[in-house]
Amino acid sequence: MTDDHQISDDPLSDDLQDIHDNDFNIESSTKASHVPHVGLEFQTRDEAYNFYNHFVLTDGFAIRRYCTYKSRKKDVITRRTFVCNRGFKKKSPNKKKKLRSHNKSHQAPVCKKLMDNYRSCGVGPAKISQIINCTNSSGIDIITPQQCSDYLKIKRKNNIGKECMIVIQKILERKVRDSEFYYAIQLDETQSCRSIFWCDSRARKSYIKFCDVIVFVVTYKTNNFSMPFAPFTGVNQHRQSILLGCALLSDEKEETFIWLFDQWLKCMWNQAPGAIITDQDSAICNVIARMFPHTHHRYCKWHLGLHECEHLRSLQCAYPTFNEDYNNWCKNLNLLKSPRSFELRYVRNTS
């Protein structure tokens, strides 16, 4: 079996070739279509837009909707204007398919199937578009990261709407078994589910005893809907981690965290924690300062360590022995018992 035959049997290559062939067929049909002329009529505005968009495809530029004129006597549209989307600048033929109004490859069923398959494996929109474009034999970018992201957002929203009733059913069943089970559902303007928070009676009772320090970190997105998973975590008398509530969030904006912390406080009888540990997300920090004004806020040491290479790269280049000195300093830092001992050690090493 030759290499050429192996490539032709690759399902991914066949799918991408179908997308490319679909674009070619669109361009061929455009060349054979009639040119605009006076007296040409259309049934809808979209039909007129699509006709003109296909016509200008061969000239190497794209169009956009510019303005609409209405009659002063009657509330009806009398004229609709379409113009070039780049200030009447033509593009070369090998770049015209990248223009917004002509690039329809991402709407093909085959391309949607590829995006779904890669997303189910945990690949992000930017990487998905890069993979599809790199394996395209035509050498033309057939999909952008934004187009991939928009498609996945729409599908995620539709799936959430379908699964929301199942989640509510499970919550109500748990509420029957546990009378102190607390839950809250955030809805958007279309009454679709945005975020969900829940906490059982065991977690609520544990918080009364162990409310001195909690950890709140939003770093998990392994569910089918790519919704951030936000657990509230504490530590019991045996130094074991305990859950103090969980949430699935629609996004990581401030208004979402305000809703979440407000529901969590209601669940915990409006008793704020003594201290809370989070990452360095600005939205979380702003909401904590507003919702927990008397709570000590600290950053997670593990997350701070992730940024060491980024912030210390200049010192590593300037001082060859910096990595060794820094590692020794971190090792000694873990052995220090108090801030005073740290200061004495620092003065001794720098003097």
Side-chain angles (χ1 to χ4, degrees):
M1 182 178 295
T2 62
D3 293 339
D4 293 338
H5 185 67
Q6 291 177 356
I7 295 176
S8 63
D9 287 341
D10 186 3
L12 177 60
S13 300
D14 293 341
D15 291 342
L16 293 172
Q17 187 62 38
D18 291 341
I19 298 175
H20 175 60
D21 294 341
N22 182 57
D23 286 342
F24 180 78
N25 293 333
I26 293 176
E27 185 173 357
S28 299
S29 61
T30 302
K31 295 179 180 179
S33 62
H34 298 287
V35 298
H37 58 85
V38 178
L40 186 62
E41 297 181 355
F42 304 95
Q43 296 295 328
T44 62
R45 287 173 291 177
D46 292 336
E47 183 181 351
Y49 173 84
N50 293 331
F51 177 87
Y52 188 51
N53 187 39
H54 289 322
F55 170 73
V56 302
L57 175 61
T58 56
D59 287 338
F61 68 94
I63 62 173
R64 59 182 173 87
R65 296 176 176 86
Y66 180 59
C67 59
T68 302
Y69 299 88
K70 291 186 176 181
S71 174
R72 294 183 178 180
K73 298 180 180 180
K74 299 180 180 180
D75 189 19
V76 294
I77 298 177
T78 59
R79 184 171 60 177
R80 187 66 184 263
T81 305
F82 305 107
V83 298
C84 174
N85 72 331
R86 293 301 181 102
F88 303 96
K89 295 181 180 179
K90 290 187 176 182
K91 294 290 183 180
S92 58
N94 62 336
K95 294 183 178 180
K96 60 187 176 184
K97 287 188 180 180
K98 296 182 182 180
L99 299 177
R100 180 178 180 182
S101 66
H102 300 319
N103 189 2
K104 304 297 182 182
S105 301
H106 63 285
Q107 300 178 1
V110 175
C111 189
K112 292 181 179 180
K113 180 181 177 182
L114 290 173
M115 288 188 285
D116 292 337
N117 292 338
Y118 282 123
R119 192 68 190 108
S120 63
C121 298
V123 184
K127 197 66 176 181
I128 291 176
S129 60
Q130 182 181 359
I131 294 174
I132 295 178
N133 293 330
C134 289
T135 53
N136 182 23
S137 58
S138 64
I140 300 176
D141 291 347
I142 60 178
I143 184 173
T144 65
Q146 185 61 43
Q147 291 171 339
C148 181
S149 178
D150 292 341
Y151 166 75
L152 295 175
K153 285 181 179 179
I154 294 175
K155 184 174 181 181
R156 167 192 163 190
K157 185 176 181 180
N158 295 336
N159 289 339
I160 292 176
K162 296 177 183 179
E163 300 291 339
C164 183
M165 296 305 298
I166 300 178
V167 174
I168 295 177
Q169 181 180 359
K170 296 293 184 181
I171 288 177
L172 294 178
E173 292 176 357
R174 184 63 181 271
K175 183 68 175 180
V176 173
R177 301 194 306 268
D178 186 355
S179 60
E180 295 186 6
F181 182 83
Y182 185 94
Y183 70 93
I185 301 176
Q186 184 187 31
L187 303 178
D188 59 11
E189 60 276 2
T190 62
Q191 301 303 309
S192 299
C193 178
R194 294 189 74 250
S195 304
I196 303 175
F197 168 75
W198 69 94
C199 183
D200 59 11
S201 60
R202 182 179 180 181
R204 300 179 71 183
K205 293 177 181 178
S206 298
Y207 179 75
I208 298 177
K209 301 177 181 179
F210 310 107
C211 62
D212 48 353
V213 179
I214 66 169
V215 178
F216 179 78
V217 180
V218 185
T219 57
Y220 310 98
K221 293 184 181 180
T222 57
N223 51 83
N224 293 333
F225 306 127
S226 297
M227 298 179 68
F229 177 66
F232 293 86
T233 310
V235 179
N236 60 15
Q237 72 274 24
H238 303 293
R239 296 187 177 182
Q240 297 173 338
S241 298
I242 54 176
L243 277 177
L244 302 175
C246 304
L248 287 172
L249 307 178
S250 59
D251 51 52
E252 299 182 42
K253 299 180 179 179
E254 286 192 22
E255 52 267 25
T256 303
F257 289 122
I258 291 176
W259 173 86
L260 175 59
F261 288 138
D262 181 65
Q263 295 298 328
W264 187 76
L265 279 177
K266 291 179 181 179
C267 173
M268 301 304 179
W269 305 280
N270 291 320
Q271 182 178 352
I276 184 170
I277 300 175
T278 69
D279 57 14
Q280 295 174 283
D281 184 80
S282 59
I284 296 178
C285 296
N286 294 336
V287 174
I288 288 178
R290 173 180 175 181
M291 301 292 294
F292 306 124
H294 304 293
T295 299
H296 298 285
H297 182 203
R298 298 293 183 266
Y299 293 141
C300 176
K301 180 181 178 181
W302 182 80
H303 285 90
L304 291 176
L306 293 178
H307 302 289
E308 287 182 355
C309 296
E310 177 183 353
H311 296 290
L312 301 178
R313 188 175 294 112
S314 59
L315 295 176
Q316 293 173 349
C317 297
Y319 304 98
T321 61
F322 176 80
N323 286 336
E324 181 180 357
D325 297 337
Y326 182 74
N327 292 333
N328 292 333
W329 177 78
C330 292
K331 186 183 300 184
N332 295 329
L333 181 63
N334 295 328
L335 301 176
L336 300 179
K337 303 297 183 181
S338 64
R340 178 59 179 171
S341 60
F342 167 78
E343 295 174 356
L344 293 175
R345 177 67 63 88
Y346 179 80
V347 172
R348 187 183 309 115
N349 292 338
T350 55
S351 59

